[in-house]
Amino acid sequence: MPEPARKTRQREAIRDAIAAAKAPVGPREILESAAGGAQGLGLATVYRTLKLLVQAGEILTVDIPGESPRYELAGKGHHHHFLCKACDKVYELDGCCGHFDELTPKGFEVTSHDLTLFGHCANCVKKTRTSSGARDSAPKVHKHALKH
Amino acid sequence: MPEPARKTRQREAIRDAIAAAKAPVGPREILESAAGGAQGLGLATVYRTLKLLVQAGEILTVDIPGESPRYELAGKGHHHHFLCKACDKVYELDGCCGHFDELTPKGFEVTSHDLTLFGHCANCVKKTRTSSGARDSAPKVHKHALKH
DNA sequence: GTGGATGCAAACTCTTTGCACCTTG
DNA sequence: CAAGGTGCAAAGAGTTTGCATCCAC
């Protein structure tokens, strides 16, 4: 049987990078931010470690429609996320309006759910109002997202 | 100025394929299902047309965490989706528990949201209960999803 | 006839995997 | 020193783009 999880420089660095971030981070950012703790760190290792940490329940996948996955520390309690369409930043939201069972067809069993709010964060709302009546600062085109 | 949208065999076929589907469909499925109306149809055309239709507001992107995007006809009214973790099928849910503003920090403006429910559909619940006490029929591993 | 639309293949991004080498316990 | 971990490069899946050809208007 596979004795689980060895403790290595790179794993520490990756976990730390995620813990240090104030918002969910993607593999690329993790690589860069963890480079300090582990020079020569490879992207493949980041992915492998992320998979391990998710399976171990230490981190959670934050999957926002139209974006590639980010990761955050587990154990912060149930919450959801807000994506600012202007600056592309992700914010954590407290709480959850969770009576979804009402929406669920008979015979179905709901085991989990995922909620994301989109809009403009306080910063961007302010900016938009100050700088001329300009609409959305930029059209914001996502590479893979055909999202409207 | 670009006179918008020409009417072609392939566009008809693609729109029809989406309209005919009872659940949101992905580019690959659309290609196959639209092949009847347009032989020789290329995947690139499907993608290009999807982008057009989304921009035109005729279809919507259905982005389910851990899955690649699917598309559905617009104009069905506000609703969300349910993904069965056992059979991987997507179902439409009526309604929406929509008082998200309570969760939103001051100064933020919410313009849209996205909700997905996960669990087991009636069919799969039945199967699980009938065939031995077996848990989830299969561990269900998604290619890209590190999701737990 | 002309500009938009299409097909094909090449290019890109994100993620996973194979393999030889290194490291932890 | 053995099993597991790492780096690099190659392989894959999904999506986009360049370009020559085609076709709707």
Side-chain angles (χ1 to χ4, degrees):
Chain A
M1 41 240 54
E3 350 168 346
R6 207 166 274 192
K7 181 182 154 188
T8 68
R9 199 165 35 94
Q10 355 336 48
R11 280 185 193 173
E12 300 273 280
I14 291 171
R15 197 199 319 268
D16 288 352
I18 298 171
K22 41 285 152 265
V25 283
R28 206 110 223 161
E29 300 167 79
I30 295 174
L31 177 64
E32 286 160 23
S33 126
Q39 348 106 306
L41 178 62
L43 196 46
T45 300
V46 173
Y47 278 105
R48 281 188 281 235
T49 303
L50 286 173
K51 187 175 293 186
L52 277 177
L53 293 176
V54 168
Q55 283 168 350
E58 296 191 39
I59 63 174
L60 296 174
T61 306
V62 177
D63 227 317
I64 292 177
E67 304 268 307
S68 32
R70 306 169 194 218
Y71 300 86
E72 67 179 9
L73 240 39
K76 296 198 222 172
H78 184 68
H79 67 275
H80 295 292
H81 298 91
F82 178 101
L83 176 71
C84 176
K85 292 196 213 163
C87 67
D88 219 50
K89 249 185 229 150
V90 174
Y91 297 84
E92 284 184 17
L93 305 174
D94 298 324
C96 167
C97 71
H99 4 14
F100 307 119
D101 305 320
E102 310 167 1
L103 316 178
T104 313
K106 291 217 192 337
F108 282 48
E109 286 174 0
V110 177
T111 58
S112 63
H113 66 272
D114 191 286
L115 172 66
T116 306
L117 266 41
F118 300 90
H120 300 282
C121 68
N123 277 344
C124 292
V125 168
K126 218 177 297 176
K127 272 182 214 151
T128 306
R129 295 221 171 116
T130 329
S131 61
S132 76
R135 312 258 86 243
D136 265 346
S137 39
K140 254 297 162 203
V141 177
H142 289 305
K143 21 351 187 181
H144 281 187
L146 307 187
K147 201 116 196 170
H148 173 47
Chain B
M1 42 240 55
E3 354 168 342
R6 210 164 271 192
K7 181 181 155 188
T8 67
R9 197 165 37 91
Q10 7 315 61
R11 280 186 192 171
E12 299 274 279
I14 291 171
R15 196 198 321 266
D16 287 352
I18 299 171
K22 43 282 149 264
V25 283
R28 206 111 222 160
E29 299 166 80
I30 294 174
L31 177 64
E32 286 160 23
S33 128
Q39 347 106 307
L41 179 60
L43 195 45
T45 300
V46 173
Y47 279 105
R48 280 188 282 235
T49 303
L50 286 174
K51 187 174 294 187
L52 277 178
L53 293 176
V54 168
Q55 285 169 351
E58 296 190 40
I59 63 174
L60 296 174
T61 305
V62 177
D63 226 318
I64 292 176
E67 304 267 308
S68 32
R70 305 172 195 217
Y71 300 85
E72 68 180 7
L73 238 42
K76 295 197 220 171
H78 184 67
H79 66 277
H80 295 293
H81 298 90
F82 178 101
L83 176 71
C84 177
K85 291 196 215 165
C87 66
D88 219 50
K89 249 186 230 148
V90 175
Y91 297 84
E92 282 185 17
L93 304 174
D94 297 324
C96 165
C97 71
H99 5 15
F100 306 119
D101 305 320
E102 310 168 0
L103 316 177
T104 314
K106 293 217 191 336
F108 282 47
E109 286 176 358
V110 177
T111 58
S112 63
H113 65 272
D114 191 287
L115 172 66
T116 306
L117 266 41
F118 301 90
H120 301 281
C121 68
N123 276 345
C124 291
V125 167
K126 219 177 293 177
K127 272 183 214 152
T128 306
R129 295 219 171 118
T130 330
S131 59
S132 75
R135 309 261 86 241
D136 262 345
S137 39
K140 254 296 162 200
V141 177
H142 289 307
K143 21 351 181 169
H144 281 187
L146 308 185
K147 202 119 193 170
H148 172 47

